[in-house]
Amino acid sequence: MTAGTVKTLFNRIGPDKVGAADGRLLDVGNPSDGSLLSRAPRSSGVDVDRAVAAAKAAFRAWSATPAPARGEILFRAGALMVERKEAIAQVMAREMGKRLEEARGDIQEAIDTAWYAGAEGRRLFGHTAPSELPRKMGMTFRRPIGVAGVITAWNFPVAVPSWKILPALVCGNTVVWKPSEEAPESGYLFAECLWDAGLPAGVLNVVQGYGDEVGAAIVDHPDVQVLTFTGSTAVGRKIYETAGRHLKRVSLELGGKNPVIVMPDADVELAVDGILWGAFGTAGQRCTATSRLIAVGDVGDRVVARLAERAKTLRVGSPLDPKVDIGPIVNERQLKRIHGYVEKGVAEGATLVCGGAIPTEGELATGWYYPPTILDHVKAGSTLALEEVFGPVLSVIRVADFDEAIRVANEVQYGLSSSIYTRDVNLAMRAVELIDAGITYVNAPTIGAEAHFPFGGVKATGNGHREGGWMPYEFFTEVKTVYIDYSGGLQRAQIDNRND
Ligand code: NAD
């Protein structure tokens, strides 16, 4: 890595902007050209202990703050994100390689979540129901849980953390957050909007560093009662095991291997638009990226031919260049991993249609770039058909009919997003019913969540929770049931009171 103006980044523990207790730092590179962008604290368990203590100390006052007042701070934070959107997008594009347009979209998702979560301060509804007994009522209300540990991936460095942190806060919890080591500044700038909006010290703490050092310490900390994680299935499993020993509440949002089924009656141009955007947007580095095209019957030749023509016109390059369609891969390790999958796919009998080589000359050779890559005739059940690549690689699997398409769609361990292109409403509805996934799109690409709808997946993509919409408010609260007996006498429930 070469060094230009290298920034030094910080943790935030309570009111203090601090480095790691032992002064260690980690390097953050720019994937566009390999240069050194910044150095972030390489924190350890000591820093986590301090952050958890700060969060614990802040919990009493924050949880006693009326929820509408908590929500107002989120509104102010949302307004600051609107003001700072461009500045944060510029940092994000350099740090993790997302194109500026997509970086702005990432921050807009957090802004939308701030509006939703802020308003939730005036809802956080409980239930009331009639009692079995006269002159008695029953109701529920929501209580915060305590200190929430938040661990996030690099590919949505602001949007995904906002899905977790904003609901956690409005529900009255305090937070210790470890942003990804690949995007520490983007994370810090998002958190700064909350601090500058008036969030009291200690309510949101940020500890930068590596997963096995900082993340693991958060997961194992006895004073962190609730954990929310977005990242790979392998790490999610480890976290769940450790958290299970502590009986912690855990939300896991993990990997995907998202299919698009194209039926012979589909509008091929529409499907091609959607597949290109789903497979190659954000260089395929989305948990919802279109990784598999399941082409039914004779549509396969038509759709692959059009995809190949169009993929060749996509421009790969700097995420700061508005003419570019596909930015870099986040780091060299991931670039090599992606290429390894392509080589394995070819070895297992797939046909390389386009892409498939790491650029070795010109500007692209200085960063971590990979061209849009399509492999045809990928065999169902092969490595490429089953494993998450997390790069701009589309595997085409040919099948004979709708039933086989559903079988192939469901053969993977994941179940996040999915899509079907067809003009037949009956087939569309059958796909909605039969695909094992948390999200199904009809005649639209697999990517593109909306903040007010639940987001998450089934099988190895998660453990049953959802982010977005109304669902995280349940996750971040405990329900208390209250019975009020105003009869003035002893009334006994769970006793056979019926005298007939
Ligand atoms: P990752 O699992 O390598 O890392 C995610 C986070 O976990 C990082 O902050 C990392 O430092 C931390 N971590 C690593 N090891 C840890 C450990 N032992 N204990 C605690 N924390 C640890 O994932 P990544 O490469 O950052 O992101 C890519 C993955 O995230 C892909 O699999 C993608 O599908 C998934 N993802 C899922 C969603 C979703 O909502 N389902 C959204 C975005 C990304």
Side-chain angles (χ1 to χ4, degrees), residues 120-362:
E120 202 58 30
R122 291 190 180 271
R123 288 187 289 262
L124 293 181
F125 295 134
H127 287 84
T128 59
S131 167
E132 294 169 357
L133 297 166
R135 295 189 180 167
K136 184 179 172 194
M137 65 176 290
M139 63 180 181
T140 65
F141 74 99
R142 302 191 161 276
R143 307 176 76 214
I145 301 173
V147 178
V150 176
I151 301 169
T152 48
W154 55 268
N155 68 328
F156 276 91
V158 170
V160 166
S162 81
W163 289 352
K164 301 170 181 300
I165 292 169
L166 302 180
L169 293 178
V170 82
C171 289
N173 304 285
T174 56
V175 171
V176 174
W177 174 31
K178 190 198 91 62
S180 169
E181 60 272 31
E182 302 285 358
E185 192 181 1
S186 307
Y188 195 90
L189 293 177
F190 160 66
E192 202 161 52
C193 294
L194 285 151
W195 298 319
D196 291 351
L199 198 70
V203 172
L204 169 60
N205 306 275
V206 170
V207 186
Q208 310 279 10
Y210 290 122
D212 54 353
E213 296 174 346
V214 176
I218 293 174
V219 172
D220 206 28
H221 201 295
D223 289 334
V224 175
Q225 287 105 325
V226 52
L227 287 165
T228 170
F229 170 78
T230 291
S232 60
T233 295
V235 172
R237 269 186 220 284
K238 269 195 223 166
I239 289 178
Y240 212 20
E241 282 167 17
T242 309
R245 283 201 294 279
H246 291 277
L247 298 180
K248 293 186 187 194
R249 186 180 296 198
V250 189
S251 168
L252 302 171
E253 298 295 339
L254 311 173
K257 183 74 187 172
N258 312 292
V260 169
I261 296 174
V262 180
M263 296 303 298
D265 72 335
D267 176 339
V268 169
E269 283 307 306
L270 181 69
V272 166
D273 282 342
I275 294 163
L276 289 172
W277 175 228
F280 304 133
T282 324
Q285 300 171 106
R286 292 199 189 205
C287 51
T288 51
T290 305
S291 189
R292 297 178 292 156
L293 160 58
I294 303 175
V296 178
D298 65 3
V299 81
D301 289 345
R302 284 181 283 143
V303 81
V304 170
R306 280 299 285 149
L307 280 169
E309 275 172 40
R310 295 273 305 278
K312 284 177 193 150
T313 68
L314 295 175
R315 283 151 301 188
V316 179
S318 164
L320 305 176
D321 179 348
K323 291 198 249 20
V324 156
D325 301 295
I326 301 177
I329 304 305
V330 68
N331 57 37
E332 187 179 17
R333 183 171 40 85
Q334 181 58 14
L335 178 71
K336 288 187 172 155
R337 192 170 163 271
I338 293 168
H339 188 57
Y341 271 118
V342 172
E343 287 181 327
K344 182 128 200 211
V346 172
E348 287 183 353
T351 313
L352 186 63
V353 176
C354 61
I358 296 175
T360 50
E361 285 170 9

Side-chain angles (χ1 to χ4, degrees), residues 432-452:
V432 166
E433 194 178 302
L434 295 172
I435 298 176
D436 296 333
I439 304 164
T440 298
Y441 290 88
V442 175
N443 292 327
T446 54
I447 63 174
E450 298 189 28
H452 58 298

Side-chain angles (χ1 to χ4, degrees), residues 340-485:
Y341 271 118
V342 172
E343 287 181 327
K344 182 128 200 211
V346 172
E348 287 183 353
T351 313
L352 186 63
V353 176
C354 61
I358 296 175
T360 50
E361 285 170 9
E363 267 177 44
L364 296 188
T366 62
W368 315 128
Y369 292 96
Y370 205 73
T373 297
I374 300 174
L375 292 118
D376 198 0
H377 301 290
V378 172
K379 290 193 196 77
S382 67
T383 309
L384 207 49
L386 297 180
E387 293 188 16
E388 183 180 45
V389 176
F390 222 58
V393 177
L394 177 71
S395 299
V396 184
I397 305 168
R398 309 277 191 129
V399 298
D401 56 26
F402 175 80
D403 290 339
E404 190 184 352
I406 297 291
R407 266 201 310 282
V408 168
N410 289 342
E411 77 169 347
V412 297
Q413 63 164 330
Y414 302 106
L416 182 50
S417 189
S418 56
S419 161
I420 181 164
Y421 280 85
T422 178
R423 291 183 169 106
D424 181 333
V425 68
N426 294 355
L427 284 182
M429 288 310 298
R430 279 178 60 203
V432 166
E433 194 178 302
L434 295 172
I435 298 176
D436 296 333
I439 304 164
T440 298
Y441 290 88
V442 175
N443 292 327
T446 54
I447 63 174
E450 298 189 28
H452 58 298
F453 279 102
F455 180 93
V458 303
K459 301 198 284 188
T461 292
N463 63 339
H465 294 286
R466 293 289 182 276
E467 319 209 273
W470 53 92
M471 296 188 72
Y473 306 91
E474 296 184 11
F475 177 75
F476 284 115
T477 49
E478 295 281 10
V479 168
K480 171 160 289 188
T481 304
V482 183
Y483 296 107
I484 302 170
D485 188 324

